[in-house]
Amino acid sequence: MGTVAPLLEGRRIVVCAGSGGVGKTTTAAALAMGMAERGLKVAVVTIDPAKRLADSLGLEELGNEPRLVDPQRFSEHGVEIEGELWALMLDSKRTFDALIERLAPDPATAQEVLSNRIYQQLSNSVAGSQEFTAIAKLYELDQYGDYDLLVLDTPPSRNALDFLDAPGRLTRFFQGRAIHMFLRPAGIGGRILGRGTGVVFSIMERLTGVDLLHDLSVFFRALGGMVDGFTERARRVGLLLSDPGTTFLIVTAPRHDPVEEAIFFHRKLRDADMPFGGLVVNRLHRPPAGDGALPADLDEDLAKRVEAAAHELAALAERDAANVEHLRTTLGDPPTIVVPELDGDVHDVEGLALVRGHLFG
Ligand SMILES: Nc1ncnc2c1ncn2[C@@H]1O[C@H](COP(=O)(O)OP(=O)(O)OP(=O)(O)O)[C@@H](O)[C@H]1O
Ligand SMILES: [Mg+2]
């Protein structure tokens, strides 16, 4: 079917979204490879790539900054990178820390937050979730990097929508009641932290040696000054995602569940006015080639097995085709790029080069 090239024409950001395990990371890396091959300076942000894929991109070390991939790695496999390919593995914790450093009014406040136990817990869980840090990183690269194209892989969330909603959730967190209670010197928060809670905290401190109350108040006071910065940042990230220079590709496998999720995700994109570019249907089974006739002298047992395998493949191909048909009709015939099921995992340059071949037609 189609090729991905026209969908990326003139874009600065491409987001590969979709449900878990469908091939988002593979697609993101192969897209980046293809566009770098076409002369662009591309950075791909990968999220938890398989170890071997990371190795083949030269990402042995977890660095939170893009690293230039040695073009030699590719030319050995017949892929000539005319531009530049930069790759990074997202490090959520470091991305979140960097954001604090950027938004803090001064280095001392930044240090106060970073060394705070509450922050450390928080940045490792809720607010430091990959959904949020992935786009925080994207924003940073867009603002402070000089790439022609950014390719963003998305986290393996069960719900692809978490990703779209990340800026909103962060804003709500900072505008939420909990934080205001702490920021307010007196009032309800003051009272709660007065008697009962104060006793609990001091018992805990005696037992654990951790002055939680102190940590909490330092955390919220220091962070309080950054609320506006965060809110503004979240707003701008939202704008970046809906910018016409951005495009979302929905990656899916031609199976029932991912197809339903793709339909759902597509609707959400539309509702949120995010620019949908097209579909990448990955791992499609093709019907067996040939006319099904087996060599006459084939061992009977073997012939039976070959026949059974061919039969099974034909059934898979039929099922896949029906799922793709259903998906495309529901979405109103969007641009669709098909990548077939390959033999074995895609974890080396050769595999990536094959996928990029299918993506770019
Ligand atoms: N076309 C293909 N043919 C065969 N194997 C493939 C193909 N595309 C991807 N794979 C393999 O499928 C697995 C999942 O791919 P990938 O990691 O890209 O998916 P993902 O959507 O990023 O998953 P997650 O949601 O867990 O992040 C990997 O082992 C990959 O090598
Ligand atoms: Mg992935």
Side-chain angles (χ1 to χ4, degrees):
M1 270 188 250
T3 145
V4 80
L7 305 181
L8 303 185
E9 182 88 37
R11 308 286 173 159
R12 280 174 25 254
I13 293 175
V14 48
V15 183
C16 299
S19 52
V22 292
K24 298 177 295 293
T25 305
T26 307
T27 303
L31 279 178
M33 178 197 263
M35 293 307 274
E37 192 178 18
R38 281 160 180 73
L40 298 193
K41 180 174 175 186
V42 186
V44 56
V45 178
T46 65
I47 298 173
D48 292 336
K51 170 97 175 59
R52 296 192 56 185
L53 180 69
D55 287 350
S56 59
L57 288 172
L59 289 171
E60 294 89 353
E61 287 161 46
L62 194 76
N64 200 33
E65 295 306 320
R67 293 172 50 140
L68 185 61
V69 180
D70 180 3
Q72 191 76 42
R73 283 174 186 272
F74 291 159
S75 56
E76 284 164 7
H77 298 272
V79 179
E80 298 303 334
I81 302 287
E82 297 291 328
E84 289 173 21
L85 177 58
W86 296 72
L88 82 85
M89 262 192 272
L90 182 74
D91 180 333
S92 274
K93 172 86 177 120
R94 275 162 64 176
T95 301
F96 209 65
D97 290 354
L99 185 59
I100 295 289
E101 277 162 6
R102 214 179 272 287
L103 294 178
D106 52 72
T109 310
Q111 211 37 58
E112 204 174 22
V113 173
L114 295 182
S115 60
N116 184 277
R117 265 180 298 243
I118 308 289
Y119 169 76
Q120 287 165 359
Q121 285 298 320
L122 188 77
S123 64
N124 276 322
S125 56
V126 194
S129 73
Q130 289 178 326
E131 280 82 14
F132 172 72
T133 45
I135 43 178
K137 191 72 205 176
L138 180 73
Y139 182 84
E140 191 197 300
L141 291 173
D142 179 65
Q143 292 293 301
Y144 309 103
D146 67 335
Y147 301 96
D148 301 319
L149 179 72
L150 299 173
V151 183
L152 181 66
D153 177 19
T154 53
S157 59
R158 235 176 311 120
N159 187 350
L161 304 173
D162 288 351
F163 170 72
L164 273 187
D165 194 38
R169 263 186 304 158
L170 191 79
T171 311
R172 283 195 296 281
F173 172 75
F174 281 107
Q175 290 170 343
R177 215 175 292 156
I179 196 163
H180 284 279
M181 240 163 66
F182 279 101
L183 292 176
R184 216 160 32 197
I188 302 175
R191 247 180 292 134
I192 286 177
L193 294 180
R195 278 168 285 138
T197 324
V199 175
V200 174
F201 277 125
S202 70
I203 292 174
M204 275 175 54
E205 184 185 348
R206 244 181 297 143
L207 289 175
T208 62
V210 173
D211 188 351
L212 196 60
L213 190 54
H214 174 77
D215 272 346
L216 271 172
S217 66
V218 166
F219 173 67
F220 281 111
R221 185 172 38 72
L223 220 61
M226 294 183 223
V227 172
D228 290 346
F230 266 113
T231 310
E232 173 58 15
R233 176 62 75 102
R235 193 185 68 82
R236 277 194 266 158
V237 166
L239 287 179
L240 182 66
L241 290 180
S242 53
D243 192 273
T246 299
T247 189
F248 282 79
L249 297 182
I250 299 184
V251 184
T252 187
R255 320 266 185 276
H256 179 272
D257 289 3
V259 160
E260 291 309 316
E261 279 216 44
I263 291 170
F264 189 56
F265 189 56
H266 175 262
R267 191 179 328 130
K268 288 290 165 182
L269 275 182
R270 209 185 40 200
D271 291 350
D273 269 328
M274 304 274 180
F276 168 64
L279 289 172
V280 174
V281 176
N282 187 28
R283 309 190 74 157
L284 185 92
H285 293 94
R286 297 247 160 92
D291 56 6
L294 296 173
D297 55 351
L298 200 64
D299 174 75
E300 196 182 332
D301 201 42
L302 188 59
K304 266 200 188 122
R305 270 187 284 156
V306 170
E307 224 170 286
H311 199 257
E312 195 179 318
L313 185 57
L316 282 177
E318 205 172 305
R319 181 203 62 182
D320 285 3
N323 283 328
V324 175
E325 173 67 17
H326 165 59
L327 176 60
R328 300 197 63 212
T329 341
T330 312
L331 266 51
D333 244 354
T336 306
I337 295 101
V338 169
V339 179
E341 171 79 23
L342 301 174
D343 302 328
D345 277 352
V346 182
H347 47 221
D348 52 14
V349 174
E350 223 175 310
L352 271 187
L354 274 177
V355 173
R356 82 82 169 79
H358 290 287
L359 288 171
F360 288 86

